[in-house]
């Protein structure tokens, strides 16, 4: 089996979608599936093309059809497509999404048939063991989010101004290179607001785990997520987590360490943080929930492989 994987980003760029892509590609290659990543112009023929959502507007439709027996659009974030591009994918492709909300979005807004959408959720590294020791009250809050718009950093700055008097440190694990102008502006605003924030840029996966496992609270301030992989990782690691009701929240609701807000308001997040600090028993109720990691990346790779095999078109 041979496939080509098309994306705008180099595979070493740190982002939630790219983490997923890289693990899938490595896993498929271990199953002896040939995967060419962004190979450029070629006369090769493939069984499949996987087109990342960032690349969906960039394809040469005729070449894509001629080179591949089957096309999959892999949706990490909903792109804005031209009418022609949308019609092309609706006619010629199947869709892989990472969670139920994205599937509903494609059905409602793009009018994609339910049977043409496959959910393949991310997983967790088998080496990532859950947190089992907790402080009496939270002191170390972590945010794992790229420094790009719509991740809630403006809200974070407002919240920081109001709770800067509390005995807290914040750790931001992020990629600051995707939108350098925006990232630098946000970093400067945070530095000018508080000296209690530490930045950790462009870490590898094991380094991200080390930061997560040291934290007392995971804070997600995103107003809109297609899945919410960083939150999913924190929940699986047994870390008390606060988030707005976005991403695959129905999936997340099975975790007892998940506190979800229905309203996207500064006060909601501030009230929770203050409550957990002032009422250790309430905070403790979100700790030691003994979540078992039930889904590994091996599960994701296996589902992806089976999806390809099921959709293999014979010559």
């Amino acid at each position: 089996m041979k496939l080509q994987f098309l994306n705008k980003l180099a595979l070493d760029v740190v982002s939630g979608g790219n983490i997923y892509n890289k693990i899938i590609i490595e896993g498929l290659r271990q199953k002896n599936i040939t995967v060419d990543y962004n190979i450029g112009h070629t006369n090769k023929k493939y069984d499949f093309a996987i087109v990342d959502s960032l690349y969906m507007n960039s394809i040469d439709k005729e070449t894509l059809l001629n080179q591949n027996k089957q096309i999959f659009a892999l949706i990490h974030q909903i792109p804005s497509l031209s009418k022609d591009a949308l019609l092309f994918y609706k006619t010629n492709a199947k869709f892989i999404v990472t969670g139920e909300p994205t599937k509903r979005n494609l059905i409602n807004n793009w009018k994609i048939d339910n049977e043409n959408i496959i959910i393949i959720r991310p997983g967790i590294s088998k080496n990532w063991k859950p947190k089992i020791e907790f402080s009496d009250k939270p002191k170390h809050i972590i945010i794992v989010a790229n420094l790009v718009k719509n991740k809630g950093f403006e809200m974070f700055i407002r919240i920081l101004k109001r709770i800067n008097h509390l005995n807290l440190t914040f750790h931001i694990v992020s990629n600051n290179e995707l939108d350098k102008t925006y990232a630098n502006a946000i970093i400067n605003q945070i530095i000018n607001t508080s000296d209690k924030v530490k930045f950790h840029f462009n870490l590898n996966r094991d380094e991200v785990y080390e930061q997560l496992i040291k934290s007392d609270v995971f804070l997600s301030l995103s107003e809109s997520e297609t899945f919410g992989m960083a939150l999913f990782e924190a929940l699986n690691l047994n870390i008390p987590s606060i988030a707005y009701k976005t991403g695959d929240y129905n999936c997340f609701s099975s975790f007892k360490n998940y506190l979800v807000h229905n309203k996207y308001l500064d006060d909601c997040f501030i009230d929770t943080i203050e409550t957990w600090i002032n009422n250790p028993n309430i905070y403790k109720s979100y700790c030691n929930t003994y979540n078992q990691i039930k889904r590994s990346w091996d599960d994701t790779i296996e589902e992806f492989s089976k999806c390809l095999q099921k959709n293999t078109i014979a010559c």
Side-chain angles (χ1 to χ4, degrees), residues 16-18 20-21 52-53 74-78 96 98 102 226-227:
N18 242 21
Y20 183 103
N21 293 348
D52 186 280
S53 47
L74 175 56
I75 310 296
H76 291 303
Q77 53 184 317
I78 306 294
I96 297 174
T98 54
T102 306
T226 52
F227 179 73

Side-chain angles (χ1 to χ4, degrees), residues 47-233:
D47 298 297
F48 301 97
I50 309 294
V51 184
D52 186 280
S53 47
L54 292 176
Y55 198 86
M56 288 176 70
N57 268 319
S58 304
I59 53 98
D60 180 322
K61 302 181 185 69
E62 184 176 346
T63 299
L64 195 64
L65 285 174
N66 289 338
Q67 284 184 339
N68 302 278
K69 298 177 185 177
Q70 177 68 57
I71 300 168
F72 285 95
L74 175 56
I75 310 296
H76 291 303
Q77 53 184 317
I78 306 294
S80 178
L81 296 181
S82 66
K83 289 183 178 180
D84 286 346
L86 180 55
L87 179 60
F88 172 81
Y89 288 106
K90 289 177 68 173
T91 304
N92 299 287
K94 293 183 182 293
F95 297 80
I96 297 174
V97 300
T98 54
E100 188 65 40
T102 306
K103 180 176 181 177
R104 290 198 304 269
N105 190 310
L106 297 190
I107 292 172
N108 294 333
N109 296 324
W110 285 5
K111 309 304 178 186
I112 306 299
D113 292 337
N114 179 71
E115 60 269 21
N116 283 337
I117 306 173
I118 305 103
I119 297 177
I120 305 179
R121 290 186 172 90
I124 300 292
S125 171
K126 287 183 176 179
N127 298 325
W128 287 22
K129 305 303 181 185
K131 184 180 180 73
I132 57 174
E133 295 182 2
F134 296 85
S135 303
D136 290 334
K137 60 174 65 177
K139 295 180 181 179
H140 177 153
I141 296 179
I142 191 168
I143 295 173
V144 181
N146 288 331
L147 272 161
V148 294
K149 296 174 182 176
N150 302 319
K151 293 295 184 180
F153 285 106
E154 292 82 2
M155 174 181 277
F156 174 65
I157 292 167
R158 296 194 302 270
I159 290 173
L160 198 57
K161 290 177 181 178
R162 293 175 57 184
I163 63 172
N164 201 30
H165 62 285
L166 299 176
N167 183 23
L168 291 171
T169 59
F170 292 87
H171 292 253
I172 296 176
V173 175
S174 183
N175 182 346
N176 64 332
E177 297 179 352
L178 296 174
D179 186 342
K180 291 184 178 180
T181 300
Y182 176 81
N184 290 336
I186 290 294
I187 292 167
N188 288 334
Q189 288 181 59
I190 291 172
I191 291 172
N192 291 331
T193 301
S194 174
D195 61 358
K196 297 180 179 180
V197 182
K198 297 182 179 180
F199 297 94
H200 309 271
F201 295 130
N202 305 316
L203 304 184
N204 64 40
R205 299 302 294 149
D206 289 337
E207 290 170 336
V208 172
Y209 171 74
E210 290 172 6
Q211 291 298 326
L212 281 166
I213 212 69
K214 290 189 293 186
S215 64
D216 300 316
V217 174
F218 179 92
L219 180 62
S220 173
L221 297 176
S222 294
E223 188 174 6
S224 177
E225 292 280 354
T226 52
F227 179 73
M229 195 164 80
L231 174 59
F232 178 67
E233 291 174 339

Side-chain angles (χ1 to χ4, degrees), residues 2 4 36 39-47 62-68:
K2 297 187 295 184
Q4 62 172 328
D36 288 341
I39 197 170
H41 180 72
T42 177
N43 292 321
K44 286 185 179 182
K45 297 289 186 179
Y46 296 94
D47 298 297
E62 184 176 346
T63 299
L64 195 64
L65 285 174
N66 289 338
Q67 284 184 339
N68 302 278

